[in-house]
């Protein structure tokens, strides 16, 4: 009688580590060049500098009496430092992947998140969060419609239960 692990094993389970590494090497997307590495570093640097300016405008305060801009300022400093490091040392990085259609997935995620945040004060968090969960799970994650709708509904109901009913927060809500 075969072992349950043998039944679930696929053809890639019989490969040696060297063969598996070679297979992964063949399947990976093409590498990005130094220009793409520099461009992505400059984008992160620009976002970091812009975030620094905005966080200073919100006010930093002190560690004993922080103001709203303190934590964004610290995170922005880390972003700027990492972007500068990547700009200088990352030019020779060969692990970076060339931009493909899948490179737009983070942009889609960011746009839907921004839309949710902008719609929350107007119509509450329930409907924007539901739409965002559906987009993220179905179109970015490739889940089935059944699991997408079920999990999205459970997430929104759970957040409603936690933040509105249990914690009684001031989060904008429709119901």
């Amino acid at each position: 009688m075969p072992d349950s692990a043998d039944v679930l094993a696929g053809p890639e389970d019989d490969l040696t580590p060297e063969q598996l590494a070679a297979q992964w090497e063949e399947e990976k997307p093409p590498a990005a060049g130094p220009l793409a590495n520099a461009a992505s570093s400059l984008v992160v640097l620009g976002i970091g500098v812009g975030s620094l300016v905005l966080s200073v405008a919100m006010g930093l305060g002190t560690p004993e009496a922080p103001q709203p801009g303190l934590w964004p300022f610290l995170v922005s400093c880390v972003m700027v430092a990492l972007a500068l490091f990547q700009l200088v040392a990352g030019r020779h990085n060969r692990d970076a992947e060339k931009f493909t259609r899948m490179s737009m997935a983070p942009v889609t995620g960011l746009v839907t998140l921004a839309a949710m945040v902008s719609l929350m004060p107007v119509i509450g968090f329930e409907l924007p969060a539901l739409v965002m969960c559906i987009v993220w799970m179905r179109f970015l994650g490739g889940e089935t419609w059944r699991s997408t709708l079920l999990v999205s509904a459970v997430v929104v109901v759970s957040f409603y239960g936690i933040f509105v009913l249990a914690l009684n927060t001031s989060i904008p809500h429709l119901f």
Side-chain angles (χ1 to χ4, degrees):
M1 176 137 188
D3 185 9
S4 63
D6 293 335
V7 173
L8 296 176
E12 65 275 353
D13 293 332
D14 297 332
L15 299 176
T16 66
E18 293 80 16
Q19 291 170 324
L20 193 55
Q23 180 181 351
W24 289 343
E25 190 67 29
E26 291 172 10
E27 294 175 356
K28 78 177 189 177
L35 183 61
N37 289 340
S40 62
S41 299
L42 289 173
V43 168
V44 173
L45 181 63
I47 292 171
V49 169
S51 299
L52 278 172
V53 170
L54 291 174
S55 61
V56 168
M58 290 192 309
L60 302 178
T62 64
E64 294 82 26
Q67 290 186 355
L70 183 61
W71 281 108
F73 177 80
L74 295 173
V75 171
S76 300
C77 287
V78 171
M79 280 180 66
V80 167
L82 290 174
L84 290 172
F85 175 79
Q86 180 67 20
L87 191 59
V88 173
R91 290 180 295 162
H92 308 294
N93 183 3
R94 301 291 176 236
D95 287 339
E97 296 176 358
K98 196 176 228 179
F99 287 105
T100 63
R101 280 189 77 230
M102 287 308 296
S103 302
M104 289 306 293
V107 174
T108 303
L110 183 64
V111 168
T112 55
L113 183 62
M116 179 187 141
V117 169
S118 65
L119 288 173
M120 276 177 56
V122 179
I123 60 174
F125 82 92
E126 298 93 334
L127 295 177
L130 182 67
V131 170
M132 186 183 75
C133 283
I134 290 170
V135 168
W136 283 15
M137 289 188 65
R138 178 66 184 153
F139 302 109
L140 299 180
E143 298 293 331
T144 64
W145 276 109
R146 175 188 279 170
S147 66
T148 295
L149 295 175
L150 179 66
V151 171
S152 297
V154 168
V155 165
V156 172
V157 168
S158 298
F159 278 15
Y160 187 87
I162 293 168
F163 292 107
V164 175
L165 300 177
L167 297 176
N168 199 23
T169 63
S170 60
I171 189 171
H173 55 91
L174 188 60
F175 304 106

